[in-house]
Amino acid sequence: MSRVSIWVLPIVIFLIFHVANSEENEVRQALVQFMQKLSPGNATRGGQWGWNMSSDPCTSNWTGVVCNNQGLVRKIILEKANFIGVLDASSLCVTKALSVLSLKDNNITGLLSEDVALCKDLTHLYLSGNHFSGDLPESLSQLSNLKRFDISNNNFNGELPDMQKISGLISFLVQDNQLEGQIPEFDFSNLKEFNVSNNLFSGPIPDVKGHFMASSFLGDPNLCGEPLTACPPVPMVPTNPMKKSKKPSFQKVLLFSGYVVLGLIVVLFLVYKLLKREKSCEQKKQKPKNKAVPLEIPSSIPSTTTASSDYKDGRGNQTSEYSLTSVESGMAPPLVVLTSPLLMGLTFEQLLRAPAELLGRGKHGSLYKVLLEGGVNLVVKRMKNCGISRDDFKTRMKKIDQVKCQNVLPAIAFYCSRQEKLLVYEYQPNGNLFNLLHGSPNGQIFDWGSRLNVADSIAEALAFMHRELNEDGIGHGNLKSMNILFNMAMEPCISEYGIMEAENQEQSIVSPNIEIRNDSTSKGHAYGSFSGDVYAFGVILLELLTGKMVQENGFDLPSWVNSVVKEEWTVEVFDRALISEGASEERMVSLLQVALKCINASPTDRPAMSQVSLMIKSIKEEEESSISFDS
């Protein structure tokens, strides 16, 4: 048996090597074909030009090619190279990891083919300053990871494809072409660069929310509206009732007969509907009237405090329409409406009667999506026994409301009685960090830069809240990836800040217990609460770096990371998607070191959130400097 194994092992190794080698040859051949189609006959080529079958694009440093740590082509930057051919997208996109393509300022002609959608990881596409022509391919809308798009100074025509659905687009430059039609409704709050000037666009300009000036739209004579001149009113075309018809009388008879027949059909149909409705009403009178199912939570259902992280996604839950009924009969305390224009004049009774949808139940409470009159969507969190007295809860909510932070979702109203507490938030439709990490919709890539931005925003927001609420000792108390929501601009927001005590936080995270000081001073209380937030934030950093869940089938993420790092296999902890992307190993290790400091078993040895925020900002600055240098 051992002899057989000795012979089989080399064969397996040979097959693996042969498959990998064949894939490399396929990519190399495709890139060579791509270059041949660009026709670089007049291009300036030095001794290290490459782009041939006898060398490797990564190890031989082909001109304009940048690879990641796995030897995959990540960027192709060939600007001002005097190319006179066409862009062969089908050959180019064989390189599956390609994220940046720049062919600026060449003499490339022809069409941009539909095959460009095969480059699914493409984030930057620069084709400006060439002689491309024809319609833009509809497949551009499939590049869901695209961030920057520049096709300015070409001869493209036709209408724009449906690119406004690409949520991460931050730069859209199509000026100096011959594009026509109306300008689509982009998410202008997310765009940092936008220019459609010197084309043939027509119609009203969408609401750019004041982000872009007239210079982005000049040279399109048929455009109107802000920030250009106002659109003229649409002229009404009057009809002349005195104008005599020139049709023969026979045609008039036929036309009149058709109208008569059509009118009879409509009358018969209306009679039928009225009879059917009358019969239905008689049946309803005979049967007892069924009341609408209320979103009334029976007192027998145990319900304690929880954050949204305790809830499932709601796919298996009922989504029928409810209406909140009064939790406590008799003299109910009023609904306290905080500073929000959404709820001006809203009463507790109106909130209870509003149609609602049960999003989920957890061990600490229930969560509902409520629809007010006028189409305003809210989220109502119902809690019991949250460990905070009624008076302390009121004081706490009002103090938190006084601290305004862009990346902390404020409660806009609350209700508090002896046994019931309701919190009202504005509904956020773009999901949470947990779902983005562990179940990304639409195949959207959550890349290293986006993860680092989330870490930076959350760290800065927590540091701000800890500083402003230091004297009161109010920490978050239940910080998890499911409590990081994304607003309309896909910016991360911390939800449910301060509604739980720090002691409860440690029960929901696999971690050493927080050592809460026994003194009754606010500083001692703040110490435990803030230290717990630091630990919870460290766990979120581990999720961002590893792509793994905190708890799954007995899996303990902090313990696993510590054990891998202890065995000096640090690279093994990182999410394979980040490795494939070519993310900087050095900066991922730096962020991992910050996370390990946060989850230190000793609360006294954990850094403050202000220190954590500064460390992450330093890593982010290094990342941005590196990107600028590479570009």
Side-chain angles (χ1 to χ4, degrees):
M1 186 68 182
S2 59
R3 291 181 180 179
V4 173
S5 301
I6 292 173
W7 284 102
V8 168
L9 183 60
I11 295 174
V12 172
I13 294 174
F14 171 77
L15 290 174
I16 294 174
F17 176 79
H18 178 71
V19 171
N21 194 41
S22 63
E23 290 180 354
E24 291 178 2
N25 287 334
E26 182 185 357
V27 171
R28 189 181 311 170
Q29 185 175 359
L31 288 175
V32 170
Q33 182 175 339
F34 161 75
M35 179 55 68
Q36 290 173 347
K37 293 288 183 69
L38 284 178
S39 299
N42 297 326
T44 303
R45 290 186 284 181
Q48 299 296 325
W49 173 257
W51 293 92
N52 54 59
M53 290 299 296
S54 60
S55 61
D56 182 83
C58 296
T59 59
S60 300
N61 297 320
W62 286 9
T63 299
V65 174
V66 179
C67 299
N68 60 19
N69 297 332
Q70 287 68 48
L72 300 175
V73 176
R74 182 186 178 194
K75 300 179 182 179
I76 295 179
I77 303 174
L78 297 165
E79 300 172 357
K80 299 181 180 179
N82 199 27
F83 295 129
I84 58 174
V86 297
L87 172 57
D88 182 7
S90 60
S91 296
L92 174 70
C93 295
V94 172
T95 57
K96 298 179 180 179
L98 185 67
S99 61
V100 177
L101 174 65
S102 182
L103 300 174
K104 290 182 182 178
D105 302 321
N106 285 285
N107 295 301
I108 303 171
T109 60
L111 306 174
L112 180 60
S113 74
E114 297 281 349
D115 293 332
V116 71
L118 299 175
C119 295
K120 295 187 180 299
D121 289 349
L122 204 61
T123 58
H124 296 65
L125 180 58
Y126 302 112
L127 301 177
S128 61
N130 283 282
H131 303 292
F132 285 100
S133 59
D135 293 349
L136 290 172
E138 290 293 332
S139 62
L140 281 172
S141 61
Q142 299 174 25
L143 296 176
S144 58
N145 298 301
L146 197 62
K147 294 181 179 178
R148 297 189 181 272
F149 181 71
D150 184 359
I151 59 165
S152 57
N153 294 288
N154 278 285
N155 297 311
F156 286 111
N157 53 42
E159 297 186 359
L160 291 175
D162 194 18
M163 294 184 66
Q164 66 269 28
K165 292 184 178 179
I166 303 176
S167 60
L169 199 63
I170 60 176
S171 178
F172 185 80
L173 305 176
V174 300
Q175 67 269 24
D176 299 303
N177 282 281
Q178 300 175 34
L179 298 167
E180 57 189 29
Q182 290 194 341
I183 300 173
E185 292 277 356
F186 287 92
D187 182 5
F188 290 100
S189 60
N190 193 46
L191 282 166
K192 296 180 179 178
E193 293 180 294
F194 184 81
N195 198 329
V196 296
S197 60
N198 300 319
N199 279 282
L200 302 173
F201 289 112
S202 59
I205 297 173
D207 182 10
V208 298
K209 306 183 188 303
H211 290 284
F212 300 101
M213 301 295 102
S215 57
S216 295
F217 305 94
L218 293 176
D220 293 86
N222 295 319
L223 279 181
C224 61
E226 291 291 340
L228 301 179
T229 57
C231 293
V234 180
M236 298 295 292
V237 180
T239 58
N240 188 357
M242 302 300 294
K243 188 176 180 179
K244 295 182 180 180
S245 174
K246 296 181 180 179
K247 293 181 181 180
S249 58
F250 179 70
Q251 292 185 359
K252 285 185 178 181
V253 172
L254 287 178
L255 186 62
F256 179 74
S257 301
Y259 283 142
V260 171
V261 172
L262 181 61
L264 287 173
I265 293 174
V266 171
V267 170
L268 290 174
F269 177 76
L270 290 174
V271 170
Y272 168 76
K273 293 294 289 183
L274 287 172
L275 290 174
K276 185 177 179 181
R277 183 177 179 182
E278 189 174 333
K279 183 178 180 181
S280 176
C281 291
E282 289 178 358
Q283 290 176 350
K284 286 182 180 180
K285 288 179 181 179
Q286 294 173 1
K287 294 181 180 180
K289 215 170 189 178
N290 291 326
K291 294 183 180 180
V293 181
L295 191 145
E296 179 179 5
I297 306 171
S299 58
S300 60
I301 296 178
S303 176
T304 55
T305 308
T306 185
S308 57
S309 52
D310 294 315
Y311 302 124
K312 299 179 181 178
D313 59 8
R315 292 178 183 174
N317 295 330
Q318 290 181 337
T319 56
S320 56
E321 199 170 88
Y322 297 87
S323 66
L324 276 161
T325 56
S326 180
V327 186
E328 292 182 352
S329 59
M331 298 294 292
L335 179 73
V336 180
V337 178
L338 302 170
T339 53
S340 171
L342 287 173
L343 303 183
M344 292 302 294
L346 180 70
T347 65
F348 183 54
E349 288 72 20
Q350 289 173 330
L351 181 66
L352 296 181
R353 296 192 186 100
E357 175 185 334
L358 177 63
L359 297 180
R361 287 192 179 99
K363 59 183 179 180
H364 296 307
S366 303
L367 199 69
Y368 306 93
K369 178 182 175 183
V370 177
L371 178 62
L372 297 181
E373 291 183 5
V376 177
N377 282 314
L378 302 175
V379 169
V380 177
K381 182 177 181 65
R382 178 178 185 257
M383 303 176 294
K384 282 188 177 181
N385 306 320
C386 67
I388 306 173
S389 68
R390 178 172 60 178
D391 293 337
D392 287 346
F393 186 80
K394 289 180 180 178
T395 304
R396 176 178 288 227
M397 289 299 102
K398 290 180 179 180
K399 285 182 177 179
I400 294 174
D401 181 59
Q402 295 171 1
V403 182
K404 305 297 183 184
C405 180
Q406 180 180 355
N407 295 106
V408 175
L409 186 67
I412 54 180
F414 70 89
Y415 166 86
C416 184
S417 64
R418 288 185 178 180
Q419 296 181 349
E420 284 292 342
K421 294 178 178 66
L422 300 180
L423 273 173
V424 183
Y425 293 93
E426 186 176 352
Y427 178 68
Q428 304 298 317
N430 285 326
N432 57 49
L433 179 60
F434 180 89
N435 291 333
L436 188 58
L437 272 171
H438 309 302
S440 181
N442 303 322
Q444 184 178 359
I445 295 176
F446 192 24
D447 61 15
W448 165 241
S450 300
R451 300 189 196 197
L452 191 55
N453 285 334
V454 168
D456 176 49
S457 298
I458 298 306
E460 185 178 12
L462 277 176
F464 176 82
M465 298 298 287
H466 284 189
R467 182 174 66 252
E468 295 297 314
L469 296 170
N470 181 54
E471 293 299 322
D472 302 302
I474 302 175
H476 186 286
N478 194 32
L479 186 66
K480 299 180 182 180
S481 58
M482 276 195 179
N483 283 337
I484 308 299
L485 308 181
F486 291 95
N487 62 18
M488 291 297 293
M490 283 304 291
E491 296 172 341
C493 294
I494 302 172
S495 69
E496 301 188 6
Y497 190 96
I499 66 173
M500 293 179 66
E501 292 286 5
E503 292 89 341
N504 292 334
Q505 180 177 19
E506 294 303 315
Q507 295 173 7
S508 57
I509 302 177
V510 181
S511 65
N513 288 330
I514 292 290
E515 297 174 7
I516 304 296
R517 293 179 181 175
N518 293 325
D519 57 81
S520 58
T521 63
S522 62
K523 290 185 179 180
H525 183 72
Y527 168 82
S529 179
F530 294 161
S531 178
D533 284 355
V534 172
Y535 185 97
F537 178 75
V539 174
I540 290 176
L541 290 183
L542 294 184
E543 285 187 82
L544 289 169
L545 287 166
T546 65
K548 298 182 182 295
M549 297 185 187
V550 180
Q551 293 176 307
E552 187 178 17
N553 299 324
F555 175 75
D556 177 354
L557 179 57
S559 297
W560 176 75
V561 171
N562 276 313
S563 65
V564 173
V565 172
K566 187 177 181 181
E567 295 295 329
E568 299 183 353
W569 289 92
T570 303
V571 179
E572 295 296 321
V573 307
F574 298 129
D575 190 345
R576 293 192 178 276
L578 297 179
I579 299 295
S580 300
E581 173 197 335
S584 169
E585 182 179 322
E586 178 184 356
R587 285 181 282 281
M588 287 196 293
V589 170
S590 297
L591 190 62
L592 177 62
Q593 291 172 347
V594 176
L596 293 176
K597 290 178 182 178
C598 292
I599 64 169
N600 193 304
S602 172
T604 56
D605 292 332
R606 297 171 193 163
M609 276 311 305
S610 57
Q611 296 172 298
V612 174
S613 179
L614 289 175
M615 288 187 282
I616 294 177
K617 284 192 179 300
S618 176
I619 297 171
K620 185 181 177 183
E621 288 173 1
E622 292 177 9
E623 177 71 16
E624 291 174 347
S625 299
S626 173
I627 292 174
S628 300
F629 179 77
D630 290 344
S631 300

